[in-house]
Every structure is written in C-alpha cells, then in structure tokens.
Amino acid sequence: MTILVTGGAGYIGSHAVQRLLRDGHRVVSLDNFFRGHARAMGLLGAKFPGKLESVVGDVTNRECVLEAIRTFGVTTVMHFAAHAYVGESVEQPLVYYHNNVTGLVSVLWACDQAGAGGKRVTRFVFSSSCSTYGQPPAGMIPVREDCPQAPVSPYGRTKLIGEQILRDYAESKRMAGTEFACTFLRYFNVCGCDRSGVLGEDHTPETHLIPVVLQAAMGQRPHVGLFGTDYPTPDGTCVRDYVHVEDLVDAHVRAMSTANAADVRAYNVGIGKGYSVRQIVDTVRAVTGREIKVVEQPRRAGDPPEVFNDPTKIKRELGWNPQVTDIREMIASAWKWFEANPRGYGA
Ligand code: UDP
C-alpha cells in the first residue's frame, strides 16, 4: 500500500513515516520544510532505502498534492500537516485558517481529482485535537467522544471545521457510491520521542511544555514560565493528558487498517490520566536530576484549565493499548534524544 503522509518531516509525521516504513509500506512524505526537518527525512531514507519518497511541497498547493498522489498511486492519506500552536493561533488566526482549513480542502480536492483518472484514495486519517472540545463542561471529564465540541482557540476551531469538512466530503462520496472512509483522531498532548533514538522533537519556536522544560534542564533557558497558577485545579496549574508519540502513531495505523467503506469515525487519543504543569516540571527534575527554575506568569490565552481523556472507545473499537503509560518513561524518551541532540536536528 502507498500512503501519503502530509507533514511527514514534522515531529508526529516523521514518527508515523518511520512506523509505516517499518511495517513494510511505501510512504510518500509531503512537507514544505517550514517547520519540518529535511534531516529527519534523510535519516529515514537511509534507514529504509527505496521505500520513502520525500516530496517538497505545500499542502495548500493542490496541484502539487495531486501530482504526488497520481505519481505514486496513493490509496491512503494521513494528513498531519498543520500549524499547531494554540497561542500562535490566537495571534495569527488567518495563518491558521489558511494552513489548516485551506490545506485540508486542497488535499481533499487532490484526492478527488486523482480518483477520477487513477488510483482512488479510500482511506483518510485526520489529525484532529482535544482542543475541539474547549473546556469540557463539569461532569464531562474524563472526556468522551460525544462531549460537545466547543473550541476556545482558533487552532481548535480549525480542527473542528476540518472534521465538518471531512464529514460533508465523506457523505458526498457515500451518496455517489464511492468508497471513502475517514477517521478523526483527537489528540491529547503528544510527547516523547522515538525509543530507537533516531527521531526527536525539534520545534522552532519551541512552546510545548515538555520540550520547554527539558531545554531549561539543559541550561538552554533560564527558567520555565508557569502560564497561570490560579486555575481551579488541585495545584492551580493546567492539567493535560500526555500520550507518547509512538502510541499515537499506533492509533493511526489501527485507524487505517480497520476502516470500512463509508466509515466516519472519531476517537480520542490520550491515555486517560491528567498531569498538572507543576507535576510535569517535577517529573522532569526527577528524570534529569537537574534543577529547574520556574517563574509564575499570567494565564495564556486559549488554554482550558483541565482536559484528560476517557480512552474506552479507542481501546474497545481499535484495540489500542498504549505501551508507554508512565509519564516518567515518556519524558525519559524525550530526554534521551535531547541529550544526544542538544541542538535538535540542526546538530
Ligand atoms: N505551559 C506552561 N509553560 C510553557 C509551556 C506550556 O505553563 O512554557 C502550559 C500551557 O499553558 C498548558 C500546558 O502547559 O496549560 C500544555 O501546553 P502545551 O503548549 O505543551 O500544549 P497544549 O495543551 O497547548 O496543546
């Protein structure tokens, strides 16, 4: 099977590419290298010779996506390419709507056009987000998939709109009697790195909590800002559900291999435990043995106080069983890569 991975050079996309190559698939990565890393592609290309095609292009360039699908006979798409910073989405909403919403429409247009003359894309896995729920109402945490979706950030809204676009597109295909199955995976907080040590997490700018705290542990930042210490949570800081990137990728593989004809399915991907920002900082201290200075700061716009998952549905229907459930092990896998690559992929 040939799988198109958009955003294949990014943090999650590259881990997906590696897993699919390991499983014996042919993979076409499409990435504009704006935030993705050519070096990650180089490492994977060398590890799996002849199996990976790395196309440099932007998902909003629909002709480029169409050419990639047609040239390589793609039948499955995993659509990771997106901007994914909540704070940045508040400051630059148009950039987010363009990249995340227009980008999705462009990829679907290409799938549609390719089907008219060549191999048909019949499976689509979409990177959605727990941020589509916003702050779930009292009594709905842990969060199930039927929780009302009411995002509180532009980023979350782009993902909810993406789900709606896919529902409409899938319905049009169902009515036309054309096979198209799609799965929305609503990610909780993805973290950790490839445990074989090849791939890592390297964002510029880095804003995600765990890598930020690891950079502070490494002395690359003077301190970690705690964004809000007066939330209605046990220690006043936000609570999130952290899932290891390889377990997240495993959910994609299961979504792809279990999809049937006209399915439109949604699954939350989070292990079902919440950790506060302070607990994460303490765990990084324990894992690294380093001192980390924290500075209390105001709340960050767009952050809900507490979100963690109820993984019942994904476990029951996809047989998903996360292998890394200990937050220390998640952080240790990231620390191992950071220690070996203190300058990230730029080393
Ligand atoms: N956070 C923080 N300091 C930082 C980065 C993040 O206090 O330097 C908090 C952030 O406000 C949120 C949590 O850590 O409550 C997780 O943020 P992250 O950006 O990692 O993921 P998000 O939940 O926004 O997807």
Side-chain angles (χ1 to χ4, degrees):
M1 189 169 11
T2 303
I3 301 160
L4 173 67
V5 177
T6 70
Y11 164 50
I12 301 171
S14 61
H15 283 80
V17 169
Q18 172 162 263
R19 167 67 192 268
L20 294 169
L21 291 169
R22 262 187 204 149
D23 288 356
H25 298 292
R26 187 168 181 229
V27 178
V28 182
S29 162
L30 178 79
D31 202 294
N32 61 5
F33 296 134
F34 172 58
R35 283 182 173 153
H37 298 280
R39 182 146 172 259
M41 289 297 92
L43 290 166
L44 291 177
K47 202 171 160 195
F48 300 94
K51 289 288 192 183
L52 171 65
E53 301 291 342
S54 174
V55 177
V56 184
D58 196 294
V59 283
T60 61
N61 179 347
R62 58 190 206 165
E63 300 293 345
C64 169
V65 184
L66 176 58
E67 195 184 324
I69 292 176
R70 278 204 175 132
T71 306
F72 300 107
V74 168
T75 53
T76 294
V77 174
M78 292 192 181
H79 182 47
F80 293 96
H83 282 354
Y85 295 136
V86 168
E88 187 180 67
S89 80
V90 175
E91 289 155 16
Q92 301 177 41
L94 299 184
V95 172
Y96 273 68
Y97 283 105
H98 178 66
N99 203 55
N100 297 6
V101 179
T102 310
L104 172 64
V105 173
S106 162
V107 172
L108 284 176
W109 177 88
C111 294
D112 213 57
Q113 291 295 308
K119 274 203 173 165
R120 190 168 285 289
V121 173
T122 57
R123 301 279 179 275
F124 200 99
V125 184
F126 176 60
S127 305
S128 187
S129 168
C130 69
S131 64
T132 59
Y133 297 115
Q135 177 56 58
M140 297 202 87
I141 302 171
V143 185
R144 290 200 321 242
E145 288 79 357
D146 57 3
C147 178
Q149 288 176 289
V152 294
S153 69
Y155 169 68
R157 280 187 279 277
T158 67
K159 291 295 177 181
L160 179 56
I161 292 167
E163 290 191 9
Q164 290 163 341
I165 290 169
L166 276 160
R167 280 187 201 282
D168 287 341
Y169 180 73
E171 175 61 9
S172 75
K173 294 287 109 184
R174 192 192 62 76
M175 281 164 38
T178 308
E179 188 179 349
F180 181 80
C182 73
T183 309
F184 316 142
L185 295 178
R186 297 180 186 148
Y187 305 173
F188 282 65
N189 288 57
V190 187
C191 70
C193 295
D194 162 28
R195 284 166 295 161
S196 72
V198 176
L199 302 172
E201 181 171 16
D202 178 4
H203 298 113
T204 307
E206 188 55 79
T207 67
H208 291 119
L209 180 64
I210 291 176
V212 162
V213 184
L214 290 173
Q215 287 176 349
M218 220 173 285
Q220 295 178 355
R221 290 175 187 258
H223 60 260
V224 175
L226 303 181
F227 300 157
T229 53
D230 59 349
Y231 283 104
T233 57
D235 68 18
T237 62
C238 288
V239 171
R240 296 286 181 273
D241 182 331
Y242 294 86
V243 55
H244 192 268
V245 63
E246 290 176 302
D247 285 321
L248 174 79
V249 166
D250 184 64
H252 287 71
V253 171
R254 288 169 187 273
M256 172 180 80
S257 56
T258 59
N260 284 314
D263 281 346
V264 178
R265 307 176 298 172
Y267 297 102
N268 290 344
V269 198
I271 65 164
K273 279 188 229 160
Y275 294 93
S276 73
V277 174
R278 287 192 201 276
Q279 284 176 314
I280 294 296
V281 174
D282 285 342
T283 309
V284 175
R285 287 185 178 124
V287 167
T288 63
R290 308 270 177 103
E291 196 31 59
I292 297 159
K293 193 171 169 227
V294 296
V295 174
E296 298 193 1
Q297 292 183 358
R299 294 179 177 195
R300 183 175 73 176
D303 274 342
E306 181 179 41
V307 217
F308 60 94
N309 185 31
D310 176 344
T312 306
K313 185 181 177 199
I314 188 168
K315 287 187 169 180
R316 189 182 60 230
E317 294 185 11
L318 298 190
W320 185 68
N321 181 26
Q323 300 301 296
V324 188
T325 52
D326 181 340
I327 190 70
R328 282 168 303 191
E329 198 185 330
M330 296 185 199
I331 290 172
S333 73
W335 179 237
K336 184 177 142 198
W337 191 80
F338 273 92
E339 272 199 304
N341 301 274
R343 310 238 162 269
Y345 286 111

